[in-house]
Amino acid sequence: MAGTRFQNGSQGSTGGRVPVRLIAELGIIFVGVFGAFVAEDVRQQREDDQRARQTYAALLGEVRTFSERAPLVVAEMEASVQSWNEAFARGERLPPPFYREPRAETPPTAIWEATLASGGVALLDPNLFNELAVFYNRVVSTSDRFRRYSALTEVEVLPHLSDASHFYEDDGQLRGLYRMHVGLLTEIRLEIEQLISEAEVLEAGILSALER
């Protein structure tokens, strides 16, 4: 009976072991699943990197559109005011200077807005994103200000261009409304000049991100 008990115990111990073959098969399955996760992560990272590069390239194009056009706008605004000042100093009383953008009234912001709407900001470098957000916020603010200026121009200046005396007081000075109008033009010009400097810094930052 003692021998029987010994044999039964031995068989029970052997039956409780996990076969080596099963361990190997489980290991293969684990490695396969883990490898699939790794491969998926690599694929997702590559897709994210590609999307980030496309987003950076699109934003670079939009910022460059601004930085290429804005200096021309600033030059025309400045020339308009300077020409009027020189004429005024000579005693001429011309209609006040003004500026109108011939095509799109404001700089493009569609790429930035699409980036925000699509969640593409998650792909951008956080510091660069903050710089872009500040820049575009100022672009939108300046654009809104220019729209108000343009509306004032259309209502209070353009209808009276044929009668320059409408713009002046009896003492030959510009009426208050038109002094304000000229002042707005100067303020907007200065804001655009600041934005040009910021756009140049942004371009360098986006190019650096594209090269990484």
Side-chain angles (χ1 to χ4, degrees):
M1 293 180 62
T4 302
R5 287 197 299 271
F6 175 78
Q7 289 176 356
N8 290 342
S10 176
Q11 288 174 356
S13 176
T14 303
R17 294 174 183 171
V18 179
V20 173
R21 181 178 178 181
L22 179 58
I23 293 174
E25 289 176 352
L26 289 173
I28 291 171
I29 293 172
F30 173 78
V31 170
V33 172
F34 180 75
F37 278 121
V38 171
E40 177 62 20
D41 286 345
V42 171
R43 184 192 65 79
Q44 186 63 51
Q45 186 60 53
R46 287 176 178 172
E47 288 185 0
D48 289 347
D49 289 345
Q50 180 63 22
R51 287 180 58 204
R53 290 182 63 82
Q54 291 172 345
T55 301
Y56 280 130
L59 288 169
L60 179 61
E62 188 165 76
V63 174
R64 277 182 172 168
T65 297
F66 171 84
S67 60
E68 289 172 359
R69 174 60 185 163
L72 303 177
V73 172
V74 166
E76 291 185 33
M77 287 179 171
E78 189 171 16
S80 175
V81 174
Q82 182 177 348
S83 177
W84 182 85
N85 282 334
E86 291 172 353
F88 186 85
R90 293 193 300 267
E92 300 178 32
R93 295 299 178 261
L94 303 177
F98 61 90
Y99 176 81
R100 302 188 76 200
E101 184 65 15
R103 299 188 68 182
E105 195 172 47
T106 60
T109 58
I111 300 298
W112 172 248
E113 292 168 3
T115 300
L116 293 176
S118 66
V121 295
L123 303 171
L124 305 181
D125 174 82
N127 291 330
L128 184 54
F129 166 71
N130 288 335
E131 292 174 9
L132 284 162
V134 170
F135 171 76
Y136 275 100
N137 181 64
R138 290 173 177 168
V139 167
V140 170
S141 177
T142 302
S143 297
D144 289 343
R145 195 169 192 183
F146 183 75
R147 286 193 186 97
R148 295 194 296 271
Y149 166 85
S150 294
L152 185 62
T153 301
E154 292 171 0
V155 173
E156 299 292 347
V157 177
L158 298 183
H160 305 289
L161 291 180
S162 61
D163 179 17
S165 64
H166 171 84
F167 303 105
Y168 293 90
E169 303 284 3
D170 293 339
D171 60 2
Q173 299 299 312
L174 274 177
R175 296 179 184 271
L177 175 64
Y178 301 110
R179 288 199 303 274
M180 179 195 70
H181 186 260
V182 175
L184 280 175
L185 181 59
T186 300
E187 290 175 7
I188 291 170
R189 175 179 63 79
L190 293 174
E191 289 175 3
I192 296 174
E193 286 179 343
Q194 182 64 34
L195 285 169
I196 292 171
S197 299
E198 294 173 4
E200 292 172 352
V201 174
L202 271 179
E203 285 185 41
I206 296 173
L207 283 171
S208 177
L210 280 169
E211 292 170 357
R212 287 199 290 268

